[in-house]
Amino acid sequence: GGAGLGADGGRGVVSAPFGRLAAVAWRESRTARRRLLLYMSSITFGVAALVAIDSFAANVTRSVHDQSRALLGGDLALSSNAAFKPPVEALFDSLTGHGTGLSRQTSFASMALVPRTGLTRLSQVRAVTPGYPFYGEIETDPAAAWGALQDGPHAVVDASLLVALDARVGDTLALGTGRFVITGTLTAVPGEIAVTASIGPRIYIPAKYLAETGLLVFGSRADYEALVKLPTGVTPEAFQGAVSRVLSKNDVRVHTAAQNEYNLSSAIDQLRNFLSVVGLVALLLGGIGVASGVHAFVMRKIDTVAILRCLGATSRQVLVIYVLQAAAMGLVGAAAGALLGVGLQFLMPGVVKDFLPVNVAVRLAPTALATGLGIGVWVALVFALRPLLALRGVSPLQALRRESDDTVMRRARRDSATHVVSFAIVASVFAIAMERAERLRNGIGFGVAALLAVGVLWVVAALLMAVARRVVRPSWPFVLRHGVASLYRPGNQTRSVILSLGFGVFLVSTLYQAQKNLLGQINLHLDQVRANVVFFDVQSDEAPGVDSIIRADRYHVEQRVPIVPMRIASINGRTPDQLQAESMPGRLANEPPRRRPRWALRREYRSTYRDTLDATEKIVAGRWFDAAKDTMAQVSLDAGLADELGVLVGDTITWDVQGVKV
């Protein structure tokens, strides 16, 4: 009682304070609030994914920064795939004489034998000098094994090697003609991924006993590394600038801790960007779920809103009341997602520790937490706002003269505010996608793809409703007739359900398609090889014995590939230094001159020789070898490599093969 209707049938004549109206709306239905909270919880998993991904990436990046020198082992690392030349050795002597720390590592592959068991395993041998590494600690079991490595012919090995050789600590390990006592196993090596130990178990030995193995002779392949510890006050950049000329002329590569940190951080960022797309799709799925749930919620609240209008609430007050409720519930759902994401953040380092080169120190990442929470609340609010706008058009007359819910919702679609909110939703999708993507182009592409997917699903839903309306027949059984009719009757959720299910399938199918493409490329190469097992480093005098062992077990050799390591000594009589200083014409007529890349001139090529082309190869210039006609040795190059080197058919390349120029 006490309420009336104005002549226009739109405004209530009795006014009430906003706070009291909001309290009435809040107390009106506990069940409706629970349903609204359930709808908002659909945003939880998307927020959890964003918070967990961003927090984990921030923790890994921070750990890489804190441990950058430990990951490298020194302030700089100087490496070469050949023994350091005399000018470099002279440089090292001068550095150590001026207070610069220097430690070395020589690494190569070799068979390891435990005489007690007679078992062998291909391993990665690393001969190190005292003081290696300068930063970071190599952890062993027992803990004193690394400190005592230089005290005698000792070896510290990966635990997987003991399993493969049926060995134990204290056994003798044979490397070539050298004998070493296994004094411990490795538990952690800074900067290396633990899972790689199962592929090539590591063996650390003192460098002073390397000659006793007899494994490094003329033509042997090994990698040489020198770690540098700079004196106080000398920066890596200043040191690199002072010695770069000598190092570059003698084919020595320089790596700094900052470069190492940048490379690792870039890899982490790429992983974060990919996973962020997955999290964003999950968040958009949550937004669609919110819109669907709030749509159903609004249809149940039309009578309540009509009563509030009779009590004096304006349309704006009604909208604000329910928007505040939706915002509060969205905040609860997003907060739950943020807490779940924080929990996942603490679990992720333990799951992927074998694939990370650092020990991740897990801390709360306030930026990631605030970003996930803010995006979650905004998505929940903007997707909820569109159906909530329908409450603005509810008249007090609705309490007396009931219109269908579908009529009220359909009238709201013509409201200009609805178009503004729809634009805000589209803009939000693009804004969030561009914020999550590494490149603006990728963000725009993802936004366009998401909108196209939603558009296609919307059209499919509309077609399904149109078909359902036309195919239903009165002669059909009651259950079937009413089930099909529910697809197009007023208040149906056909569009929302198809959008949710279709968008979810879109996400899952995209991930599976990416997986299939990657595995397909790998399988393509495997199919071309047609082999199950590959034997490396089989010398010419060993080939007959290996072949007889294979055939004795009724297997056969699919292919023999000789490998010849060699470097470019000159092209058309010009040395790599001269070639690198010169410019080549651009690839196209309007392109500026370009220089040959350093890697193409300096690298060690692992070449092969054979009489015929493979099925996957095609000659694009020149001709294949003719042993009967050709009097000079000839070589064929990959087309891309020839372009990088700037060589054409008829040019002459002189190769350095184990010190002999051919």
Side-chain angles (χ1 to χ4, degrees):
L5 298 176
D8 60 353
R11 295 181 57 85
V13 299
V14 176
S15 62
F18 177 78
R20 186 175 299 175
L21 292 171
V24 171
W26 180 260
R27 293 195 303 266
E28 180 271 333
S29 176
R30 181 179 301 176
T31 302
R33 287 200 308 274
R34 288 176 178 173
R35 288 175 178 169
L36 182 59
L37 182 59
L38 180 62
Y39 301 147
M40 291 300 177
S41 67
S42 61
I43 215 76
T44 298
F45 293 105
V47 173
L50 293 182
V51 171
I53 292 166
D54 285 357
S55 298
F56 181 68
N59 284 327
V60 174
T61 302
R62 182 172 51 247
S63 298
V64 168
H65 176 73
D66 295 340
Q67 303 171 36
S68 59
R69 291 196 299 180
L71 293 174
L72 192 64
D75 295 306
L76 298 99
L78 313 179
S79 60
S80 174
N81 48 20
F84 293 118
K85 297 178 181 179
V88 179
E89 292 289 355
L91 174 64
F92 289 166
D93 291 338
S94 66
L95 291 175
T96 54
H98 290 82
T100 300
L102 196 73
S103 64
R104 304 196 190 192
Q105 173 184 264
T106 304
S107 58
F108 55 92
S110 177
M111 297 300 296
L113 165 69
V114 172
R116 183 180 62 83
T117 62
L119 299 176
T120 60
R121 177 73 160 85
L122 181 64
S123 307
Q124 291 293 323
V125 180
R126 302 182 179 185
V128 297
T129 59
Y132 183 95
F134 290 118
Y135 304 108
E137 295 183 2
I138 294 181
E139 301 176 9
T140 60
D141 181 22
W146 183 257
L149 179 67
Q150 303 291 336
D151 295 343
H154 299 160
V156 178
V157 305
D158 274 312
S160 61
L161 184 66
L162 297 184
V163 176
L165 300 181
D166 192 20
R168 56 179 177 264
V169 173
D171 278 344
T172 298
L173 183 71
L175 295 172
T177 57
R179 297 295 182 268
F180 300 86
V181 177
I182 300 175
T183 58
T185 59
L186 296 163
T187 56
V189 178
E192 296 193 7
I193 301 174
V195 73
T196 58
S198 60
I199 302 173
R202 298 159 293 191
I203 301 175
Y204 283 90
I205 62 172
K208 58 187 176 183
Y209 297 104
L210 179 57
E212 295 183 9
T213 65
L215 294 173
L216 293 186
V217 295
F218 180 77
S220 298
R221 293 179 54 203
D223 292 320
Y224 299 83
E225 180 184 62
L227 295 181
V228 179
K229 183 179 181 181
L230 298 175
T232 304
V234 179
T235 64
E237 292 74 20
F239 175 86
Q240 187 175 1
V243 301
S244 61
R245 182 178 180 85
V246 175
L247 298 178
S248 62
K249 288 182 64 175
N250 292 278
D251 302 327
V252 177
R253 298 179 297 275
V254 182
H255 302 278
T256 65
Q259 291 170 342
N260 205 33
E261 177 185 349
Y262 174 79
N263 293 334
L264 288 173
S265 298
S266 298
I268 296 298
D269 288 341
Q270 289 177 359
L271 177 62
R272 183 191 72 87
N273 292 334
F274 174 74
L275 294 178
S276 292
V277 171
V278 179
L280 180 56
V281 173
L283 194 63
L284 294 180
L285 272 173
I288 294 173
V290 166
S292 175
V294 173
H295 182 275
F297 171 81
V298 167
M299 294 182 68
R300 294 188 179 95
K301 305 301 293 182
I302 291 176
D303 292 338
T304 301
V305 171
I307 294 173
L308 289 175
R309 294 297 309 279
C310 291
L311 294 176
T314 64
S315 59
R316 180 175 299 177
Q317 287 177 329
V318 168
L319 181 62
V320 171
I321 287 171
Y322 285 100
V323 166
L324 289 176
Q325 287 191 26
M329 297 301 179
L331 179 61
V332 172
L339 292 176
L340 180 59
V342 170
L344 292 174
Q345 165 199 347
F346 281 88
L347 294 176
M348 288 179 72
V351 175
V352 298
K353 64 180 180 180
D354 290 341
F355 302 92
L356 293 176
V358 294
N359 294 321
V360 180
V362 180
R363 306 175 193 169
L364 286 178
T367 302
L369 196 62
T371 301
L373 191 62
I375 292 177
V377 172
W378 172 252
V379 170
L381 186 59
V382 75
F383 275 87
L385 187 57
R386 193 175 187 278
L388 284 174
L389 286 173
L391 297 178
R392 295 176 59 205
V394 176
S395 167
L397 283 175
Q398 186 76 8
L400 301 177
R401 189 180 63 197
R402 189 69 162 85
E403 291 181 323
S404 69
D405 296 338
D406 189 60
T407 301
V408 176
M409 302 301 291
R410 189 165 53 249
R411 187 189 305 129
R413 298 190 193 111
R414 298 191 293 269
D415 191 346
S416 60
T418 302
H419 301 310
V420 173
V421 173
S422 299
F423 176 79
I425 292 174
V426 174
S428 298
V429 172
F430 276 95
I432 297 173
M434 288 185 285
E435 187 272 333
R436 308 305 298 176
E438 183 180 5
R439 299 177 180 176
L440 180 65
R441 175 183 175 183
N442 294 343
I444 295 176
F446 175 80
V448 171
L451 292 179
L452 286 176
V454 170
V456 170
L457 293 171
W458 188 272
V459 171
V460 169
L463 291 175
L464 177 62
M465 294 168 61
V467 170
R469 186 185 300 275
R470 287 169 173 75
V471 301
V472 66
R473 295 291 182 268
S475 59
W476 287 4
F478 174 82
V479 174
L480 179 61
R481 186 172 70 252
H482 282 266
V484 174
S486 297
L487 294 174
Y488 61 85
R489 281 178 174 171
N492 69 82
Q493 294 291 298
T494 302
R495 290 188 178 89
S496 299
V497 171
I498 288 183
L499 279 176
S500 300
L501 293 177
F503 213 66
V505 172
F506 166 72
L507 168 63
V508 175
S509 62
T510 300
L511 294 177
Y512 272 111
Q513 191 65 35
Q515 177 190 23
K516 183 178 179 181
N517 289 339
L518 292 174
L519 293 179
Q521 294 179 12
I522 297 174
N523 291 333
L524 176 62
H525 294 296
L526 292 177
D527 291 341
Q528 293 172 0
V529 174
R530 304 190 308 275
N532 298 63
V533 179
V534 179
F535 294 90
F536 293 97
D537 200 21
V538 180
Q539 301 302 317
S540 299
D541 58 338
E542 298 171 338
V546 173
D547 188 74
S548 63
I549 293 173
I550 295 173
R551 294 184 184 279
D553 288 332
R554 298 182 181 179
Y555 297 105
H556 64 279
V557 178
E558 286 283 347
Q559 186 180 20
R560 293 178 177 85
V561 181
I563 297 176
V564 182
M566 57 190 192
R567 297 175 180 275
I568 294 176
S570 66
I571 298 178
N572 294 328
R574 305 190 67 77
T575 66
D577 289 335
Q578 294 172 325
L579 293 168
Q580 195 168 6
E582 297 174 351
S583 296
M584 298 187 300
R587 292 182 175 88
L588 301 176
N590 58 346
E591 283 188 350
R594 57 191 176 97
R595 293 184 182 273
R596 295 173 178 86
R598 176 181 173 80
W599 68 266
L601 294 169
R602 302 287 185 178
R603 65 168 292 180
E604 180 182 72
Y605 290 90
R606 289 164 177 80
S607 306
T608 187
Y609 52 87
R610 46 187 158 82
D611 297 330
T612 58
L613 287 168
D614 281 343
T616 59
E617 295 173 331
K618 181 178 68 173
I619 295 177
V620 296
R623 60 178 178 82
W624 190 245
F625 314 119
D626 188 340
K629 297 179 180 179
D630 298 329
T631 58
M632 180 180 292
Q634 298 191 18
V635 64
S636 64
L637 300 178
D638 175 84
L641 176 62
D643 179 66
E644 295 285 2
L645 291 173
V647 298
L648 302 172
V649 174
D651 287 342
T652 301
I653 303 178
T654 302
W655 298 93
D656 185 343
V657 183
Q658 298 183 356
V660 180
K661 291 182 172 57
V662 295

